[in-house]
Amino acid sequence: MGTGTRTGSETAAATEANADVDANPDADAAASGVLRRAVAWSVGLAIALIAVVLAGATVGPVGIEYGVVAKVVLDALPWFSVRVPETAATIVLGIRLPRIALAAVVGCALGGAGTVMQGFFRNPMADPSIIGVSTGAAVGAVASIVFPLAIPFGLGLQGAAFAGALIAAFGVYLIATEGGRTPVATLLLAGVAIQTFLGAVISYMLVQSGESLRQVTYWLMGHLHNAGWDEVTTTLPVVVLAFVVLLAYSRDLNVLLLGESDAHSLGIEVERTKRVLLAVSSVLTAAAVAVSGVIGFVGLIVPHVMRLLVGPDHRILLPTSTLAGGGFLVAADTLARSGPAELPVGIVTAAVGAPFFLYLLRRQEVHAL
């Protein structure tokens, strides 16, 4: 892949970030303009996300009108009291909304992590799984299914997946780091190698899975059908905290697009920044994959679409891609469960993502490899 290759849009983002670093009379005005754009886009996308969530709650074996869903949600809020049918409230709050909320949280996590990974590697083909996080989670989950393990603290399959993801990411980081430096190209290649190795491990466990094969396959294709409020309340704080940290580093991520030498000369502690971005993105991805299985292409597609709409500045791109990721996965999951037989949501995202990936291969500079 074209690691280190800078596109014109990335150069523009880096130049804007450089302008902000320099003390000049226009810096405050430029920063204020970026903030206004980020808030405007974020508010618009948040409203769109709420609309998609409400629309998704109307879809199911029992049809519930959009207005009834809105009333049920309002009635669930502490400062509202609205009369709603008890059956509709049970279906919406107890069955549909937990799944939809988890889809939104997972989509936000993957959209945000994908944005950071594409900026970190300066590569439009990067996504949250590029350093083996998703494959590591798959190894942990599949191992817990095929060889039932006694996971400490009752963490079960999700704990095994989360641990596997972090171990894989940390292993890739250790392999790629030498003398306190972590070259991005080495990190990328180490990630590819680890993914390949872990893929072989998964294949072996599939051969040994026996009657567990269906459960393993379903997990690997991505799923949200067992989602409950426990998964939402466990994952949401991790995603919010990780997003806040990444947003704080969004300007540094812009400057890194100039190249590590230039970023260092502009006062960025390059290696420390890279470690933070890598660690937090890995945790963000691990938290999402642990509760949803491997859902591909969200972290690849959404940042590209938003980059076309809002531009390459990560101070705007990161929050908008995060919200758009949530909306995209909610819509994909609604489509996955709207047919006569429910599909794993990973099939829907892949069906959309694979053609888009091929489009990128034709449009981006990676065709020069």
Side-chain angles (χ1 to χ4, degrees), residues 25-171:
D26 297 329
D28 290 342
S32 178
V34 169
L35 179 61
R36 284 197 299 271
R37 290 189 63 214
V39 171
W41 272 101
S42 297
V43 169
L45 287 167
I47 293 173
L49 174 58
I50 292 171
V52 173
V53 166
L54 295 178
T58 67
V59 177
V62 178
I64 301 177
E65 294 181 356
Y66 195 93
V68 175
V69 172
K71 289 180 180 177
V72 169
V73 173
L74 285 175
D75 187 58
L77 299 176
W79 50 86
F80 287 98
S81 179
V82 182
R83 293 189 63 182
V84 294
E86 185 177 346
T87 303
T90 301
I91 293 173
V92 171
L93 295 177
I95 299 174
R96 296 181 186 173
L97 272 188
R99 173 174 181 155
I100 294 171
L102 188 63
V105 172
V106 169
C108 286
L110 296 177
T115 302
V116 173
M117 285 297 176
Q118 289 175 7
F120 181 93
F121 285 101
R122 283 170 281 163
N123 191 305
M125 298 301 164
D127 73 0
S129 66
I130 199 167
I131 57 170
V133 177
S134 298
T135 316
V139 170
V142 174
S144 72
I145 295 171
V146 178
F147 310 112
L149 305 172
I151 307 294
F153 311 112
L155 296 178
L157 184 151
Q158 294 171 355
F162 188 76
L166 294 187
I167 291 172
F170 190 61

Side-chain angles (χ1 to χ4, degrees), residues 78-319:
W79 50 86
F80 287 98
S81 179
V82 182
R83 293 189 63 182
V84 294
E86 185 177 346
T87 303
T90 301
I91 293 173
V92 171
L93 295 177
I95 299 174
R96 296 181 186 173
L97 272 188
R99 173 174 181 155
I100 294 171
L102 188 63
V105 172
V106 169
C108 286
L110 296 177
T115 302
V116 173
M117 285 297 176
Q118 289 175 7
F120 181 93
F121 285 101
R122 283 170 281 163
N123 191 305
M125 298 301 164
D127 73 0
S129 66
I130 199 167
I131 57 170
V133 177
S134 298
T135 316
V139 170
V142 174
S144 72
I145 295 171
V146 178
F147 310 112
L149 305 172
I151 307 294
F153 311 112
L155 296 178
L157 184 151
Q158 294 171 355
F162 188 76
L166 294 187
I167 291 172
F170 190 61
V172 170
Y173 172 76
L174 286 182
I175 292 170
T177 301
E178 185 173 358
R181 292 189 65 254
T182 310
V184 171
T186 307
L187 188 67
L188 175 62
L189 293 174
V192 172
I194 291 295
Q195 279 193 70
T196 304
F197 173 75
L198 294 180
V201 174
I202 293 171
S203 297
Y204 171 77
M205 289 191 289
L206 283 173
V207 172
Q208 302 296 322
S209 59
E211 296 181 355
S212 303
L213 179 61
R214 180 180 174 83
Q215 184 182 359
V216 171
T217 304
Y218 214 75
W219 194 94
L220 291 176
M221 289 192 293
H223 66 91
L224 294 164
H225 65 287
N226 288 329
W229 286 116
D230 286 345
E231 284 79 9
V232 177
T233 55
T234 301
T235 310
L236 182 60
V238 178
V239 173
V240 171
L241 181 60
F243 170 76
V244 170
V245 174
L246 292 176
L247 189 61
Y249 277 83
S250 58
R251 190 191 66 85
D252 292 358
L253 191 56
N254 281 347
V255 179
L256 281 175
L257 296 178
L258 291 166
E260 294 185 10
S261 297
D262 290 341
H264 180 73
S265 67
L266 290 170
I268 301 297
E269 294 186 35
V270 174
E271 292 302 325
R272 190 194 69 172
T273 301
K274 286 162 58 179
R275 283 195 294 273
V276 171
L277 292 173
L278 190 65
V280 177
S281 298
S282 298
V283 171
L284 191 58
T285 306
V289 176
V291 295
S292 66
V294 180
I295 298 177
F297 290 105
V298 177
L300 175 65
I301 297 172
V302 173
H304 278 294
V305 173
M306 293 313 302
R307 193 175 286 107
L308 291 173
L309 294 175
V310 306
D313 191 327
H314 287 89
R315 292 170 294 183
I316 306 172
L317 183 60
L318 179 59

